[in-house]
Amino acid sequence: MLSTLIFLPLLGATLIAFYPATMSGKLSRSLALGCAVISFLWTIFLAIQFNPGEVGQQFAESLPWVDALGLNYNLGIDGLSLPLLLLNGLLTCIAIYSSDESLQRPRFYYSLILLLSVGVIGAFLSQDLLLFFIFYELELIPLYLLIAIWGGERRGYAATKFLIYTAVSAILILASFLGMVWLSGSPSFGLATLNAQNLPLATQLLLLVGILVGFGIKIPLVPFHTWLPDAHVEASTPISVLLAGVLLKLGTYGLLRFGMNLLPEAWAYLAPWLATWAVISVLFGASCAIAQTDMKKMVAYSSIGHMGYILLAAAAATPVSVLGAVMQMVSHGLISALMFLLVGVVYKKAGSRDLDVLRGLLNPERGMPVIGTLMVLGVMASAGIPGMVGFISEFIIFRGSLAVFPIQTLISMLGTGLTAVYFLILLNRAFFGRLSAQVSNLPRVYWSDRIPALILALLIVIFGIQPSWLVHWTEPTITAMVNTPNLVATVSVDKPGKT
């Protein structure tokens, strides 16, 4: 069942890539969208069949692959990976639907998006360290090409920078994975057989640092963040949706699955430093966002701040905080995708993202009233206004982290206030006031431009009002993960490693 999720988009990418050259861009888009929708519906079917009360891996598949390396084809779903798989399926459909019908080399473009989805799905399903790494690397080349070919003026620079950073990330992750397997004497790379918890603390710390820096680059956390604003600014709108909504979550997922879960003693020892690192990322991302005049770059920097909340929750390592971390992954995926879609529509119709140029876009007659209204909703969700999914995810993180790291949690709460500041600056300057002369003759915004944003806005409100629909999948898995004997949830700030 799980292999179907991987091979559906792979089959679609192959068909589109090797179809006769006479295939039109419209047909390529339709085939890609059809494959993405079928894959998403299959994920929903698995979610319906998923048993939330079972904390182990479900729908597991296991086949021997390369015995000499200890590599096996092990797949499974639990409460940590299922919400992210659903998020990936939804945003892949939206990215394909939102792509420009007149873009150049459409067959190559849609094949790369489907290959990107294959890498993400495989990474979330993998129950083998080496298999995870293969899928983790698989998404690198498609995303590089999607930025380098269909990006903006500085696309070559942004794509190369992304490639270099991600390559360094992969090297560190692979080195840590190899070290865990070889030093623990495990017969394979399977998570079920790995016993890295028995390694000496110094060895665990060394391995964990590699994992932290490797996935910290992917998230990204300060100071490994500099590739992200460039990549977002130069990437097309659909690729920014996938990058912020899904691909950054590979980093946070990796920290929880392979850092906190596999090396709990070292994680507990470093937890106070991780919480401080989270605070730095939250405040730095928010401060940089305030200074931006490019709407897209402002949203990009906001992602850095909001990813810091997830690190704070993981550092606290309580059942409540880690549950909040998973919810924050989903809520940030929905909210950031909505914001990038709306900024993309503004840029497409107004020809600018500059806050010094745009004015009065909320004008009901000659502006973009529906887009402006959705932007207000997105800002409210990102700022943590009650009734939106962003509020409940951040509240759970703060609630679960406060008892463990009160100072870091209270400082991180300032990030929510700063989020309101920079997004209110965006709204005030771009959407309110009189319509500026530079953008006085705006083309009509069609419903085809609005539908993806409306879907995301609806989900943001639904999950904000009824968060239990997300929680019921995840809570048993997270509780079991955090309550493993070696994982210290209540870390003393003064004496790391003590309880």
Side-chain angles (χ1 to χ4, degrees):
M1 295 178 75
L2 299 186
S3 293
T4 304
L5 276 180
I6 296 174
F7 288 109
L8 269 174
L10 182 60
L11 177 62
T14 304
L15 287 176
I16 295 171
F18 293 99
Y19 200 86
T22 54
M23 175 184 281
S24 65
K26 186 175 182 180
L27 180 57
S28 300
R29 180 173 179 267
S30 298
L31 284 176
L33 184 59
C35 288
V37 169
I38 293 172
S39 181
F40 180 44
L41 292 176
W42 187 252
T43 309
I44 294 176
F45 172 75
L46 292 175
I48 294 172
Q49 302 297 316
F50 185 81
N51 180 11
E54 184 179 339
V55 298
Q57 297 295 323
Q58 300 183 39
F59 314 112
E61 299 179 13
S62 181
L63 292 172
W65 192 358
V66 185
D67 291 334
L69 295 178
L71 172 61
N72 297 306
Y73 181 76
N74 294 330
L75 304 180
I77 292 181
D78 62 5
L80 175 58
S81 55
L82 180 57
L84 300 176
L85 286 167
L86 289 166
L87 179 66
N88 174 69
L90 172 65
L91 295 187
T92 300
C93 293
I94 287 177
I96 294 173
Y97 178 85
S98 303
S99 297
D100 190 348
E101 294 184 2
S102 61
L103 58 82
Q104 301 295 316
R105 305 171 70 182
R107 293 169 55 207
F108 191 31
Y109 174 85
Y110 292 115
S111 296
L112 290 175
I113 287 185
L114 291 176
L115 281 177
L116 193 63
S117 182
V118 170
V120 172
I121 292 170
F124 287 144
L125 291 178
S126 296
Q127 299 304 309
D128 184 283
L129 292 178
L130 196 53
L131 185 64
F132 170 87
F133 178 79
I134 291 172
F135 283 114
Y136 182 84
E137 283 288 272
L138 180 61
E139 53 85 23
L140 170 61
I141 299 302
L143 185 58
Y144 166 78
L145 293 173
L146 287 165
I147 297 174
I149 298 175
W150 292 276
E153 293 181 0
R154 300 176 69 244
R155 57 186 180 271
Y157 168 78
T160 302
K161 192 173 184 179
F162 160 78
L163 185 66
I164 293 172
Y165 270 78
T166 308
V168 173
S169 166
I171 291 171
L172 292 172
I173 292 169
L174 179 60
S176 296
F177 284 178
L178 293 174
M180 274 193 280
V181 172
W182 290 340
L183 294 176
S184 65
S186 176
S188 71
F189 287 86
L191 290 175
T193 61
L194 192 61
N195 192 23
Q197 297 174 355
N198 293 332
L199 294 172
L201 177 59
T203 303
Q204 287 192 38
L205 288 171
L206 182 61
L207 296 172
L208 182 57
V209 167
I211 289 175
L212 287 171
V213 176
F215 286 118
I217 293 171
K218 189 69 173 182
I219 291 175
L221 298 169
V222 177
F224 311 115
H225 66 283
T226 58
W227 65 268
L228 184 66
D230 291 321
H232 270 308
V233 168
E234 300 306 323
S236 61
T237 296
I239 306 310
S240 286
V241 167
L242 292 176
L243 178 56
V246 179
L247 295 173
L248 301 187
K249 310 306 179 294
L250 286 173
T252 51
Y253 172 84
L255 285 186
L256 295 178
R257 178 74 76 189
F258 308 113
M260 187 189 77
N261 194 39
L262 295 183
L263 300 167
E265 186 181 0
W267 187 271
Y269 188 88
L270 292 180
W273 303 102
L274 298 180
T276 303
W277 191 8
V279 171
I280 294 171
S281 288
V282 168
L283 297 183
F284 183 87
S287 300
C288 288
I290 292 175
Q292 304 307 312
T293 58
D294 186 317
M295 295 171 67
K296 200 173 187 183
K297 187 171 283 190
M298 181 181 288
V299 178
Y301 273 110
S302 75
S303 291
I304 298 172
H306 284 89
M307 290 292 97
Y309 294 136
I310 299 175
L311 180 60
L312 173 67
T318 66
V320 175
S321 71
V322 179
L323 178 62
V326 178
M327 290 195 65
Q328 176 71 357
M329 292 187 219
V330 177
S331 69
H332 177 265
L334 296 173
I335 295 168
S336 63
L338 173 63
M339 299 294 285
F340 278 115
L341 279 175
L342 296 175
V343 171
V345 173
V346 169
Y347 183 66
K348 180 180 177 181
K349 301 299 180 180
S352 176
R353 300 187 301 256
D354 193 340
L355 296 179
D356 294 330
V357 174
L358 301 173
R359 288 286 188 282
L361 294 180
L362 203 55
N363 187 296
E365 295 181 1
R366 295 181 295 127
M368 304 177 182
V370 176
I371 297 300
T373 302
L374 291 172
M375 183 66 80
V376 171
L377 185 145
V379 167
M380 293 170 63
S382 188
I385 300 299
M388 309 286 179
V389 70
F391 165 77
I392 193 65
S393 60
E394 291 178 10
F395 175 80
I396 294 175
I397 286 175
F398 296 148
R399 175 65 182 84
S401 304
L402 187 62
V404 183
F405 299 117
I407 296 176
Q408 291 93 328
T409 302
L410 290 173
I411 296 175
S412 293
M413 289 181 183
L414 295 175
T416 301
L418 293 175
T419 299
V421 170
Y422 58 73
F423 276 142
L424 284 176
I425 291 173
L426 183 151
L427 284 178
N428 185 58
R429 296 178 66 178
F431 289 90
F432 292 102
R434 299 181 62 182
L435 196 66
S436 61
Q438 295 95 322
V439 291
S440 58
N441 297 313
L442 295 175
R444 180 181 176 185
V445 180
Y446 295 97
W447 279 104
S448 58
D449 296 314
R450 299 168 179 163
I451 287 174
L454 286 170
I455 292 172
L456 292 172
L458 183 63
L459 291 174
I460 287 169
V461 174
I462 289 174
F463 289 132
I465 296 173
Q466 190 57 271
S468 62
W469 292 353
L470 281 176
V471 170
H472 85 283
W473 279 326
T474 304
E475 188 172 11
T477 298
I478 295 304
T479 301
M481 180 185 295
V482 172
N483 288 334
T484 52
N486 292 324
L487 185 58
V488 181
T490 53
V491 182
S492 170
V493 178
D494 296 326
K495 296 180 180 181
K498 304 285 186 181
T499 59

